[in-house]
Amino acid sequence: MTVSAALQDRLAALQPPGLMIIDGRKIAALSGETFANISPRDGKPINAVAAGDKADVDLAVAAARAAFEDGRWRDRTPAEKKKTLLRLAELMEAHREELALLEALDVGKPLSDARNVDIPLAIQTTRWYAEALDKIYGEVGPSGPGRLSYAVHEPLGVIGAIVPWNFPLHMAMWKAAPALAMGNSVVLKPAEQSPLTALRVAELALEAGLPPGVLNVVTGFGETAGQALARHMDVDMITFTGSGSVGRRLMVYAGESNLKRVSLELGGKSPQIVFADCPDLDAAAEAAAWGVFFNQGEVCTAASRLLVQEAIREPFLEKVLAVARGIQVGDPLDEATRFGAMVSSEQMRTTLGYIERARASGLEPVLGGRQVLQATGGFYVEPTIFDRLSPDAALAREEVFGPVLGVLSFQTSDEALRIANDTVYGLAAGVWTSNIDLAMSAARRLRAGLVWINGWDACDITMPFGGFKQSGFGRDRSLHALHKYADLKSITLSHRPPHV
Ligand code: NAP
Ligand code: MG
């Protein structure tokens, strides 16, 4: 593996954090247990990380509750809160190279993506909610003489944030930044595969002046720490990004405990529809390939279904193949790499399993389909494309969460929309056409929370992000995410009417 000398030095100086942050202190798990945090780059351990469980979650929730009740954060003025969160964003900026290295090492994504996408977007998110928090207005009701009625946004209290490993810090800040901006306390549980940047940023938050207990990070496993958080009687909300199976369990835990609010951002099987009158086939081909191969396919909005109008199927597929053939699988820490390792051997095996089952059903990939770079000890799978998928093939219905694209074709727009909507998911969808009427009507008919026309994945903090159907409910990003972490309270003051 080829890593520059300068990077070797930075790697050697890196101190990956392994202790939890609870009540402003760095602590080991009460049990003393740790787990080995593996780098998918080479399959080797990076460090030992505290394996927090129920006892540690209890401690973190108690700290978060105490911080909320005494108002050490909630009762700061909006200007003070804004200053603290902006200071956090500045510290993240100052440590962006360290954070990018930690992220790339931890989950196997290309360092260039961590540098140019994950960390800048996590910083932008923090800044955006810092800037937004003093622009939240309540309402005055038209209650008539003798009454002043008004509605205010009140923080919910203690927010449990459970996040995945695909964009670890970015997803953590999608939850933590608006929750903190609203005045809540947070207990964050990163995925066991990706604890490092959450721990580091919680340290930076303390340095920025966020009071102890306001942002706590419990590392550990989903079944233990995650479940304890989601079942906790003193947690007011669970905000989650991850799989549908865990999302279902979180709703059960909420129902069996204190009816805490639950917000779920789950996966998808997102279609990208390319009509014969597509205005730019080269741009569409880039988007078709990178829409699914970016981040090794480990993206909830991955465009894993490509629907192409039959008239242009062959020439368009050639263009997509040309882009995909140019994607080299490489060492995440090689600065030229644009496609790195999958997060874990488990995720790699799941992906290869889908490919094998497709082969067993008589399908042969037109590109890729194999594990590569085995000698590194890391978890690498080639970009893989299956053509002529039937809409009922497993690869057209199930989320792989790996670099596998399925190509389907259609004749009419009605057929395209029927196939596109024929899924239990509804996260994202794309349409490529020069026909404005078709584009606008398709955008409304597609059952998805995000629709992109003549483009793919404009990651825009100003717009709500989330799914229809089994892709979940509740929205990240935008002002809607702020309101998600608040309840509305109606206050009515009765007074003597005028002219008495
Ligand atoms: P996952 O199991 O849903 O994990 C997401 C988070 O939930 C992690 O922090 C995980 O902790 C935690 N968790 C697991 N079991 C839990 C439980 N019983 N109670 C509370 N929390 C629990 O996702 P995954 O295993 O990382 O990946 C599996 C599939 O999820 C992927 O193949 C993909 O389909 C989907 N996924 C979707 C997204 C997305 O952005 N929509 C992101 C990642 C994964 P631990 O990791 O520590 O167990
Ligand atoms: Mg890891």
Side-chain angles (χ1 to χ4, degrees):
M1 294 202 274
T2 47
V3 172
S4 69
L7 202 56
Q8 289 284 14
D9 290 347
R10 265 180 269 145
L11 271 176
L14 203 61
Q15 294 180 322
L19 293 175
M20 301 186 291
I21 304 283
I22 296 180
D23 209 9
R25 289 175 303 134
K26 289 190 209 180
I27 55 172
L30 286 170
S31 67
E33 295 290 322
T34 60
F35 64 92
N37 183 24
I38 304 293
S39 177
R41 175 184 180 234
D42 53 11
K44 296 203 178 98
I46 305 168
N47 65 341
V49 173
D53 61 22
K54 185 176 180 308
D56 306 282
V57 166
D58 286 345
L59 210 60
V61 173
R65 175 59 60 191
F68 184 72
E69 293 303 331
D70 71 17
R72 68 186 82 158
W73 172 246
R74 173 177 55 156
D75 293 345
R76 283 193 183 177
T77 64
E80 288 167 337
K81 287 198 196 87
K82 179 179 186 162
K83 198 169 157 198
T84 306
L85 292 181
L86 286 177
R87 173 94 185 106
L88 171 59
E90 272 165 35
L91 286 172
M92 289 164 73
E93 189 84 58
H95 290 268
R96 60 192 291 167
E97 179 62 13
E98 176 195 355
L99 291 170
L101 262 181
L102 288 173
E103 207 76 303
L105 201 59
D106 211 0
V107 299
K109 66 172 63 211
L111 179 58
S112 63
D113 284 349
R115 273 181 184 155
N116 299 322
V117 182
D118 290 72
I119 306 306
L121 289 179
I123 296 169
Q124 181 205 41
T125 302
T126 309
R127 224 171 239 145
W128 199 86
Y129 286 106
E131 291 288 357
L133 69 82
D134 60 357
K135 297 165 191 73
I136 307 162
Y137 289 80
E139 294 166 17
V140 177
S143 297
R147 278 190 187 173
L148 172 64
S149 301
Y150 59 102
V152 292
H153 298 282
E154 294 242 340
L156 291 173
V158 176
I159 309 293
I162 301 179
V163 294
W165 40 258
N166 54 345
F167 297 94
L169 185 60
H170 189 198
M171 292 302 102
M173 297 323 286
W174 270 17
K175 316 288 186 195
L180 293 171
M182 258 299 168
N184 297 282
S185 299
V186 173
V187 177
L188 171 64
K189 204 222 60 87
E192 73 201 57
Q193 298 87 346
S194 57
L196 300 180
T197 46
L199 290 172
R200 190 68 187 101
V201 164
E203 292 174 6
L204 296 178
L206 290 167
E207 203 179 318
L210 196 71
V214 176
L215 174 60
N216 307 275
V217 179
V218 177
T219 48
F221 302 112
E223 277 295 328
T224 49
Q227 178 165 188
L229 188 60
R231 285 191 181 277
H232 205 291
M233 294 300 286
D234 208 20
V235 169
D236 298 289
M237 177 187 188
I238 289 290
T239 177
F240 174 75
T241 294
S243 63
S245 57
V246 174
R248 282 184 166 76
R249 271 182 268 166
L250 296 177
M251 292 186 73
V252 172
Y253 301 159
E256 287 178 354
S257 56
N258 62 343
L259 283 176
K260 56 180 67 65
R261 283 146 185 73
V262 177
S263 158
L264 303 177
E265 199 274 276
L266 309 174
K269 192 75 206 173
S270 298
Q272 199 159 190
I273 308 173
V274 184
F275 287 97
D277 67 351
C278 167
D280 185 343
L281 284 175
D282 293 321
E286 279 282 325
W290 282 109
V292 65
F293 298 136
F294 174 62
N295 210 46
Q296 300 69 242
E298 296 163 333
V299 183
C300 48
T301 54
S304 52
R305 288 187 295 156
L306 177 62
L307 277 61
V308 189
Q309 197 153 25
E310 191 54 51
I312 56 160
R313 200 186 60 79
E314 292 222 352
F316 185 68
L317 182 60
E318 265 320 305
K319 283 182 185 289
V320 178
L321 280 167
V323 178
R325 283 192 199 105
I327 300 175
Q328 299 293 322
V329 187
D331 178 0
L333 297 189
D334 180 335
E335 292 168 274
T337 295
R338 295 288 173 273
F339 185 103
M342 300 205 67
V343 72
S344 60
S345 65
E346 193 187 5
Q347 196 64 19
M348 176 179 72
R349 281 198 305 272
T350 305
T351 304
L352 293 171
Y354 270 104
I355 295 171
E356 281 324 307
R357 284 195 296 282
R359 279 205 171 102
S361 77
L363 288 165
E364 203 39 50
V366 290
L367 185 79
R370 289 168 308 149
Q371 182 186 353
V372 289
L373 304 180
Q374 282 95 330
T376 60
F379 318 127
Y380 299 87
V381 177
E382 295 175 300
T384 298
I385 300 180
F386 284 92
D387 187 20
R388 297 194 179 279
L389 268 197
S390 118
D392 4 288
L395 277 182
R397 308 203 74 79
E398 294 170 35
E399 185 186 41
V400 177
F401 227 66
V404 183
L405 173 64
V407 184
L408 299 93
S409 63
F410 65 88
Q411 302 276 1
T412 65
S413 57
D414 278 345
E415 188 188 0
L417 291 171
R418 188 174 43 71
I419 297 171
N421 283 335
D422 180 19
T423 167
V424 296
Y425 294 109
L427 190 52
V431 186
W432 293 80
T433 175
S434 299
N435 179 338
I436 186 80
D437 295 325
L438 175 58
M440 297 318 289
S441 111
R444 293 306 299 267
R445 285 169 64 191
L446 284 162
R447 301 288 298 153
L450 300 136
V451 176
W452 292 299
I453 301 167
N454 295 340
W456 187 256
D457 199 2
C459 188
D460 182 351
I461 184 72
T462 68
M463 292 300 290
F465 181 103
F468 282 20
K469 301 196 276 184
Q470 290 183 35
S471 290
F473 49 85
R475 293 293 180 264
D476 290 316
R477 300 194 318 211
S478 79
L479 295 178
H480 293 278
L482 270 176
H483 293 143
K484 185 166 85 172
Y485 299 107
D487 259 341
L488 268 181
K489 180 185 280 177
S490 297
I491 301 175
T492 301
L493 169 77
S494 296
H495 59 96
R496 296 204 298 166
H499 312 301
V500 286

